[in-house]
Amino acid sequence: MSGTKSGGHGGTDDPFEEGGSSLLRQPKAVWATAGASVVAFMGIGLVDPILPSIARGLHATNSQVSLLFTSYFLITAVAMLITGFVSSRIGGRKTLLAGLALVVVFAALSGMSGSVGELVGFRAGWGLGNALFVSTALAVIVGAAAGGSSAAILLYESALGLGMACGPLLGAVLGDMKWRYPFFGTAVLMAVGFIAITAFLKEQPKPAARTSLLAPVKALGHGGLAATAASAFFYNYAFFTVLAFTPFVLNMSPYKSGGVFFAWGVLLAVFSVLVAPRLQHRFGSLKVLCGSLLLFAADLVVLGYGDHTTAIVCTVLAGAFIGLNNTVFTELALGVSDAPRPVASAGYNFVRWFAAAAAPFLAPKIEEWTDIHLPFVVAAVAAVTGAGIVAVRRRALTMEAEERAPKHATEGGVAALAR
């Protein structure tokens, strides 16, 4: 492994090779897929600023409304087991289009919901479409991007950060008029993504061997991938406590809440794409991950016990730690095992999305059972647990993590992005 980068090939992963393509010089198919990915990730944070408005509009409790995240991510987690099965049989392009079509339909139906039960159900269908799209999009971008897997991961993380930043903003602008409008807006944008991928993305070569339904689970038998997924499970619990529970704590108007989470998303994007590679280059992936998780835990405790202004500052600051963690976890999941990237990604996401489903449900319940502070303490403990897993399992992760820590390759990529 010492002679190559960790992408599983002998070439360089440098996205900015001399005389090669820069991160910004990509085929139209890559930009179409990345653009649709932005909208897909927008759908995650879209409802953040309008959660209180939805609760009032549908006469629902906070814990009932938080099920919008739970149903979405529970279906997403389970669907991860079928994404590789489907894409290896019908191809990446058709899988992307099927996922987009489902999102368009269920996002529109969400906007027409007459009860919180209907909305929760339609969000589940939305989660299925998003799972098909997002998991396949990463594989398509990795396969089609110029500059190797490092460039592809940076593009994917850029799409994630931009989507997470713009989702709350779109939700605030449209939701201030009516809570239903953000859902219709998403349906329209995903329809545009459907058209763009139809026009620009050619069918990708199908894998030589079809992926079985159990392949992602079997991939988790690799110690490094299992450790990565387990750590990401606890991290995602903390992550989605911030995303799904904090809007109720802040209790702000859609515009103000959207502004807070827009700033949060901007930090997420900046630290994911620009800061994380620099820190990895200097300190190594595992040190960055452990340090970021511990700082995230401290931020959560201060968020839970601080006053309103402190809570806003800590919510925004959480975006920085989440951006760092997202990048390192993605790189580890894609490279730590010998499993094909789509299979490894599916197994990793299968585990971590269960925490994303649990946190939005448990955080309001913990508040009902105790007080408003304890949900953040539990989330902080989860983040510390994630760091502990990385520390204990560092031997299973060290070789791959150190190779994934960008040396000259990503350093050049960061410099070019900064320009």
Side-chain angles (χ1 to χ4, degrees), residues 326-392:
N326 283 351
T327 293
V328 180
F329 271 123
T330 299
E331 291 186 354
L332 286 176
L334 289 181
V336 76
S337 74
D338 293 329
R341 283 194 180 99
V343 174
S345 177
Y348 160 76
N349 282 304
F350 171 69
V351 174
R352 75 183 183 109
W353 286 129
F354 274 111
F361 174 75
L362 290 177
K365 289 295 184 183
I366 293 171
E367 180 199 11
E368 292 174 6
W369 299 332
T370 55
D371 57 46
I372 200 169
H373 310 297
L374 200 59
F376 294 101
V377 175
V378 173
V381 170
V384 172
T385 303
I389 292 172
V390 172
V392 171

Side-chain angles (χ1 to χ4, degrees), residues 30-222:
V30 171
W31 287 119
T33 306
S37 298
V38 170
V39 182
F41 287 118
M42 284 172 62
I44 295 176
L46 179 84
V47 298
D48 261 24
I50 58 173
L51 286 175
S53 299
I54 293 173
R56 289 191 297 270
L58 295 178
H59 308 290
T61 65
N62 290 353
S63 58
Q64 287 176 321
V65 172
S66 68
L67 290 175
L68 294 178
F69 285 101
T70 298
S71 65
Y72 180 91
F73 287 115
L74 184 61
I75 296 300
T76 296
V78 175
M80 286 297 163
L81 294 179
I82 69 168
T83 54
F85 178 86
V86 172
S87 63
S88 66
R89 284 160 175 77
I90 68 173
R93 182 174 182 271
K94 291 179 181 177
T95 305
L96 288 178
L97 293 176
L100 285 170
L102 285 172
V103 173
V104 170
V105 170
F106 283 104
L109 289 173
S110 295
M112 296 185 282
S113 299
S115 68
V116 69
E118 285 185 6
L119 184 53
V120 169
F122 292 142
R123 279 281 287 182
W126 187 339
L128 173 60
N130 211 56
L132 289 171
F133 176 81
V134 169
S135 62
T136 310
L138 177 56
V140 168
I141 291 175
V142 167
S149 62
S150 291
I153 289 173
L154 285 176
L155 278 171
Y156 186 76
E157 292 298 334
S158 299
L160 187 154
L162 186 59
M164 294 295 255
C166 294
L169 200 60
L170 178 67
V173 172
L174 297 179
D176 192 60
M177 295 181 280
K178 197 170 186 178
W179 69 262
R180 299 178 185 274
Y181 291 169
F183 297 108
F184 295 136
T186 300
V188 171
L189 288 173
M190 287 304 251
V192 172
F194 185 97
I195 294 170
I197 288 179
T198 300
F200 297 118
L201 180 64
K202 296 179 180 179
E203 185 56 79
Q204 304 294 297
K206 295 179 183 179
R210 293 183 174 183
T211 302
S212 72
L213 285 174
L214 294 180
V217 176
K218 291 179 179 178
L220 291 170
H222 184 279

Side-chain angles (χ1 to χ4, degrees), residues 377-409:
V377 175
V378 173
V381 170
V384 172
T385 303
I389 292 172
V390 172
V392 171
R393 297 289 296 160
R394 63 187 179 278
R395 288 190 177 181
L397 300 170
T398 297
M399 182 179 294
E400 183 60 34
E402 292 308 312
E403 287 192 358
R404 293 302 297 180
K407 298 180 175 63
H408 67 282

